[in-house]
Amino acid sequence: MHFAYPPRKSSHPPAYLARSQSRSLSYSQRRQLKIGAIILCSLVFFILIFSRLPTNGAERIQPGTPEVVIVTLIDEENMSKDYITKVQDNRKDYAARHGYTTFFPNISSYPSIADSPRSWSLVPALRHALTLYPQSSYFFVLSPHALIMNPSINLRTHILSPKILEKIMLKDKPVVPPDSVIRTFGNLKGDRIDLILTQDGEGLCPGSFVLKNGEWAKFFLDTWFDPLYRSYNFQKAEAHALEHIVQWHPTILTKMALIPQRLLNTYNIDIASRGGGKAVYKEGDFVVRMVGCETDPARNCEREFEDMRVVKGAQIMREGVKGG
């Protein structure tokens, strides 16, 4: 039985055939789709990036965000409930007048510093405030043993405006009186300041100061709270640590402004070493502090606070009579 042979190949094969038009179009379409996808992804990426960029050098602030947060550290173990209520009401009343808000952390909320003096709690409490109010511009730190005496004073027109700050800041002033070799700079601009402090006859006063929000503020607080400085066992704990970092860290000194004590930090009694009569409260002053009352067994913070509340009440009555 014979089988048919397969057909012989032609000795003259056809010319090379181009790919079909459909395959050519499919490749072209795929290429265009890839290019389109890359462009689209790039646009989405840049839109996301630019939408997160700060506006005019600052994060876009949501409506209703308080410009200032008043931070007062409360010691529930050593302050009576009545005293705490009066302190909080004083801050809340002032905040309500100017659209600010308040934050009252409890000193016992920061147990991680149990080996250090309790006063160190001020620093993590302020760091906590920055976390809770990331869009607020300023943090006004005020000791619980202090009273806002003139609630009509607005912080921006009082000290925060760059133009005003440039006029009132103390230039070429020893950081630690009377004769520290480290002095405040004489050519700082108000819009470059992130830390506003006062000093008395003994040194810097962290019982009443203002900190501007931002990355520098976080750096400053982290530096201040460095475990190394807490281990130094400074006589006045965080107050002396503050003086140390201000004097030996130019990055901090270049952002700090000292202002006259009376603008932010007067005292209720005459203490010679802290400025004497020049530092004592006068009617019209913004804040009065019962400085040192918590460490002097002969004094009583709550009683002194109440005495100044009576003084404030009398002033309000006199103003009411004048206005009437």
Side-chain angles (χ1 to χ4, degrees):
M1 183 175 182
H2 297 280
F3 294 95
Y5 289 101
R8 296 181 62 185
K9 293 183 179 180
S10 173
S11 300
H12 303 284
Y16 176 75
L17 295 175
R19 292 181 179 177
S20 68
Q21 185 178 3
S22 61
R23 287 188 64 189
S24 176
L25 288 175
S26 176
Y27 172 78
S28 175
Q29 289 174 348
R30 286 200 302 272
R31 186 176 180 184
Q32 290 177 359
L33 285 174
K34 287 180 181 179
I35 294 173
I38 292 173
I39 293 174
L40 180 61
C41 290
S42 299
L43 286 174
V44 172
F45 173 76
F46 283 110
I47 289 172
L48 289 174
I49 290 296
F50 283 107
S51 67
R52 294 173 182 269
L53 285 177
T55 303
N56 295 327
E59 185 178 351
R60 186 177 299 167
I61 297 177
Q62 298 298 322
T65 299
E67 180 185 23
V68 177
V69 179
I70 305 170
V71 181
T72 294
L73 187 63
I74 299 297
D75 186 353
E76 294 182 355
E77 294 182 13
N78 296 298
M79 297 172 65
S80 71
K81 290 184 178 180
D82 182 58
Y83 186 20
I84 292 174
T85 299
K86 290 176 180 177
V87 170
Q88 292 177 335
D89 288 346
N90 175 251
R91 277 60 163 169
K92 289 177 181 178
D93 172 70
Y94 175 68
R97 290 171 182 252
H98 301 282
Y100 303 157
T101 193
T102 56
F103 177 51
F104 301 107
N106 182 17
I107 197 170
S108 63
S109 299
Y110 309 96
S112 61
I113 61 169
D115 295 335
S116 305
R118 289 164 62 85
S119 57
W120 271 108
S121 296
L122 171 67
V123 186
L126 184 49
R127 194 68 164 82
H128 186 187
L130 264 68
T131 303
L132 293 178
Y133 301 94
Q135 292 191 325
S136 292
S137 301
Y138 296 94
F139 294 82
F140 174 28
V141 181
L142 188 58
S143 162
H145 310 302
L147 187 68
I148 297 174
M149 296 292 287
N150 190 345
S152 66
I153 290 178
N154 181 284
L155 279 172
R156 174 156 291 281
T157 56
H158 187 52
I159 60 173
L160 296 182
S161 167
K163 291 184 178 179
I164 293 175
L165 188 55
E166 284 183 25
K167 293 178 180 178
I168 62 177
M169 68 172 66
L170 304 176
K171 301 176 181 179
D172 196 31
K173 180 86 171 176
V175 172
V176 179
D179 53 6
S180 168
V181 296
I182 308 298
R183 308 172 78 89
T184 57
F185 291 106
N187 58 349
L188 294 180
K189 300 298 182 181
D191 58 359
R192 305 287 293 177
I193 298 301
D194 287 348
L195 176 63
I196 303 174
L197 279 165
T198 64
Q199 62 176 195
D200 59 20
E202 294 185 2
L204 298 179
C205 303
S208 179
F209 68 93
V210 176
L211 180 65
K212 187 177 181 179
N213 198 1
E215 290 303 315
W216 185 90
K218 298 172 185 177
F219 155 76
F220 164 68
L221 293 175
D222 291 346
T223 302
W224 191 5
F225 200 60
D226 192 301
L228 179 64
Y229 300 138
R230 281 182 279 146
S231 70
Y232 281 176
N233 196 25
F234 288 113
Q235 182 181 4
K236 291 187 178 180
E238 80 292 344
H240 280 171
L242 175 62
E243 292 176 356
H244 176 82
I245 63 174
V246 167
Q247 291 184 94
W248 303 113
H249 289 266
T251 354
I252 294 175
L253 186 59
T254 55
K255 289 287 189 177
M256 185 195 78
L258 285 180
I259 63 174
Q261 183 179 354
R262 188 166 296 281
L263 294 177
L264 199 62
N265 183 43
T266 62
Y267 298 150
N268 65 320
I269 61 175
D270 186 336
I271 304 176
S273 64
R274 287 183 172 270
K278 293 181 180 180
V280 174
Y281 170 81
K282 293 180 181 178
E283 185 169 347
D285 288 339
F286 178 39
V287 168
V288 62
R289 283 180 59 209
M290 282 53 76
V291 64
C293 68
E294 69 275 24
T295 58
D296 187 346
R299 297 173 61 188
N300 184 294
C301 294
E302 188 168 352
R303 184 165 55 244
E304 292 181 21
F305 184 91
E306 186 60 32
D307 289 343
M308 293 311 300
R309 284 184 75 240
V310 172
V311 172
K312 179 181 178 181
Q315 292 174 181
I316 293 174
M317 289 185 63
R318 285 197 296 272
E319 291 173 1
V321 170
K322 290 179 183 178

